[in-house]
Amino acid sequence: MAPFLAFEDKGVRSSGALPLVLIHGHPFDRTMWAPQVAAFAPGRRVIVPDLRGYGASPVVPGVTPLSVFADDIAALLDDLGVGAFALAGLSMGGQIAMECYARFPERIRALVLADTFPAAETPAGRAARNAAADRLLREGMGPYADEVLYRMVAPYADPAVAAHVHRMMTGAPPEGAAAALRGRAERPDYRALLTRVAVPALVVVGEDDTYTPVAEARAMHEAIEGSVLRVVARAAHLPNLERPEEFDAALAGLLEGL
């Protein structure tokens, strides 16, 4: 049976290096990771899915909990014959990565949490996410994309990067994006989980990220024993696209140490 998720599976399978799995954020798709695929596929297998409801993957309306996203990732990797792997996620993808670690930690040999945060949603936050989901269904993705573009990337970002981010956002199916927002509104609290992470870990954040500020990243770093913190200068919420060289250097440092 064909995998449920659309995905890219690139790189060298026989190198002996752990496969690298990259999980995108909301409301993006797997092309968010294009610089990292280009950088790391020459030396290892790199697997990059479109989450359900995004990109070329099936759209499932309603509510998509983070647990469902995590189970989709596990099923895809089962289909591809991947046992152990290094896992990186950004923003919502970072929360999905934490859920993956909660559900199948024995498969995850390294963990990268970028521009994300572990706490459960507040009552006000739940209301805001559900209202945002209603808005996407009512208006489509365009007005939202226009409004948040220069929080996703910094106002001084390369225009080509900003254009790519805007295309991803406007191309996201509103039903899938809304379902993810409703699922994230009900997410669990992962802060205790972070204190139990027992694999090499990297926490990355853009210096000018206003969604998940540096203080959030520092708290995650302090919770994960032995983790490395990298603050990427002149980047906002998407340092992997805004400053790929710096992001890739931090990721390479983690992977080379495995």
Side-chain angles (χ1 to χ4, degrees):
M1 185 173 65
F4 177 75
L5 297 180
F7 64 96
E8 285 186 76
D9 185 358
K10 302 287 189 182
V12 182
R13 301 189 185 194
S14 58
S15 68
L18 274 175
L20 173 63
V21 179
L22 301 169
I23 307 178
H24 68 76
H26 161 91
F28 307 125
D29 58 48
R30 67 182 188 263
T31 68
M32 191 197 89
W33 295 110
Q36 287 67 51
V37 173
F40 291 97
R44 70 179 65 239
R45 190 176 185 183
V46 182
I47 299 165
V48 192
D50 280 334
L51 297 171
R52 72 163 64 199
Y54 296 93
S57 286
V59 176
V60 182
V63 180
T64 305
L66 297 184
S67 59
V68 170
F69 286 125
D71 287 346
D72 286 345
I73 298 294
L76 173 63
L77 297 177
D78 289 345
D79 287 339
L80 297 178
V82 174
F85 54 93
L87 180 63
L90 186 146
S91 192
M92 180 179 76
Q95 293 170 337
I96 295 168
M98 288 183 261
E99 180 66 24
C100 288
Y101 195 84
R103 299 173 85 78
F104 40 90
E106 72 284 352
R107 299 179 71 171
I108 299 170
R109 302 298 169 81
L111 184 64
V112 180
L113 301 175
D115 299 82
T116 191
F117 57 98
E121 196 58 89
T122 63
R126 283 196 295 273
R129 289 201 188 274
N130 283 301
D134 292 341
R135 178 189 177 188
L136 296 184
L137 294 175
R138 184 175 63 250
E139 299 179 1
M141 300 300 297
Y144 169 81
D146 293 344
E147 182 178 301
V148 304
L149 176 60
Y150 288 108
R151 289 188 69 194
M152 294 294 187
V153 299
Y156 48 77
D158 184 314
V161 171
H164 176 200
V165 172
H166 193 265
R167 282 194 303 273
M168 287 192 291
M169 291 194 289
T170 56
E175 297 85 356
L181 284 171
R182 297 193 199 284
R184 287 176 79 192
E186 305 303 326
R187 69 181 180 273
D189 192 323
Y190 297 110
R191 286 176 292 184
L193 172 77
L194 295 183
T195 67
R196 302 194 298 272
V197 170
V199 297
L202 170 67
V203 178
V204 185
V205 67
E207 182 180 45
D208 295 329
D209 190 346
T210 58
Y211 283 119
T212 55
V214 172
E216 293 276 4
R218 198 173 303 282
M220 289 194 297
H221 162 59
E222 292 170 355
I224 303 173
E225 185 175 356
S227 66
V228 173
L229 173 65
R230 290 289 181 267
V231 179
V232 180
R234 292 191 59 78
H237 195 53
L238 295 169
N240 71 301
L241 285 172
E242 297 172 88
R243 293 288 180 268
E245 295 85 0
E246 290 88 338
F247 186 95
D248 293 350
L251 179 52
L254 178 75
L255 296 175
E256 290 165 4
L258 298 179

